[in-house]
């Protein structure tokens, strides 16, 4: 499997509880390199653009409000099979269903406030990275 890049977010529930370092330690232990990272605070409108794919879902408003409720850390992760590997380390969307040792099992508060986001495919990874980072900011 080739070296890939994926996009990751440490969500407001996790930054508020000072879990950025603990989450980064899990990503790095899984062999993912953090090649770009910044702490930002989205507006609800910016969160809405990022999550536009979920516009029709009943939780869309709540999700945008949550993502704008505090700082987030946006990241680009690089490594072998990085997209699938990150999804594995994150665990299932609902922490009640997440496997032992995953970020969401250990840290997530609920299906909505679930501590991390990770791209689900190559095309979305490219789009999401480009939404938050310029090429110059990716230091592999
Ligand atoms: P994932 O983040 O695991 O890829 P989805 O793409 O299905 O999951 O959903 C995006 C985000 O929307 C989730 O991470 C979570 O924050 C929120 N979400 C998903 N399902 C629900 C739900 N039933 N109620 C509230 N928020 C939800």
């Amino acid at each position: 499997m080739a070296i890939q890049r994926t996009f990751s977010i440490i969500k407001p529930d996790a930054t508020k509880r000072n879990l950025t370092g603990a989450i980064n330690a899990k990503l790095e232990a899984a062999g993912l390199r953090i090649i770009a990272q910044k702490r930002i605070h989205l507006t609800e409108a910016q969160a809405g653009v990022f999550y536009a794919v979920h516009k029709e879902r009943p939780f869309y408003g709540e999700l945008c409000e949550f993502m704008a409720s505090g700082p987030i850390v946006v990241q680009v992760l690089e490594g072998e099979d990085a997209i699938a590997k990150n999804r594995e380390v994150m665990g299932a969307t609902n922490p009640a269903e997440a496997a032992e040792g995953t970020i969401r099992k250990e840290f997530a508060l609920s299906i909505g406030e679930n501590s991390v986001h990770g791209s689900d495919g190559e095309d979305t990874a490219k789009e999401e990275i480009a939404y938050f980072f310029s090429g110059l900011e990716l230091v592999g």
Side-chain angles (χ1 to χ4, degrees):
M1 177 46 87
I3 299 292
Q4 280 181 331
R5 288 177 176 178
T6 190
F7 175 73
S8 161
I9 302 179
I10 301 178
K11 295 184 177 181
D13 67 285
T15 61
K16 280 181 197 159
R17 287 176 292 144
N18 226 12
L19 292 171
T20 301
I23 289 172
N24 280 350
K26 279 194 172 288
L27 297 173
E28 291 186 336
L32 293 162
R33 304 183 73 82
I34 302 164
I35 65 159
Q37 174 167 263
K38 58 191 172 190
R39 183 172 161 103
I40 59 175
H41 193 148
L42 293 179
T43 63
E44 249 184 82
Q46 289 167 333
V49 171
F50 178 72
Y51 275 120
V53 64
H54 293 306
K55 218 167 34 214
E56 307 305 330
R57 311 274 287 273
F59 56 81
Y60 179 67
E62 181 191 329
L63 176 60
C64 295
E65 199 179 316
F66 163 59
M67 291 300 288
S69 70
I72 61 172
V73 176
V74 292
Q75 312 175 301
V76 180
L77 309 177
E78 186 178 80
E80 203 153 298
D81 207 8
I83 295 169
K85 190 174 283 179
N86 184 42
R87 297 287 307 184
E88 198 181 311
V89 183
M90 289 164 58
T93 309
N94 184 350
E97 290 161 15
E100 273 321 310
T102 60
I103 292 168
R104 284 168 165 170
K105 176 73 180 183
E106 279 190 31
F107 302 126
L109 299 175
S110 65
I111 191 169
E113 302 201 11
N114 59 4
S115 303
V116 281
H117 164 87
S119 308
D120 61 4
E122 285 189 42
D123 292 345
T124 45
K126 276 208 179 73
E127 280 169 30
E128 292 175 354
I129 290 169
Y131 187 59
F132 290 100
F133 291 96
S134 76
L136 281 175
E137 294 176 295
L138 309 180
V139 186

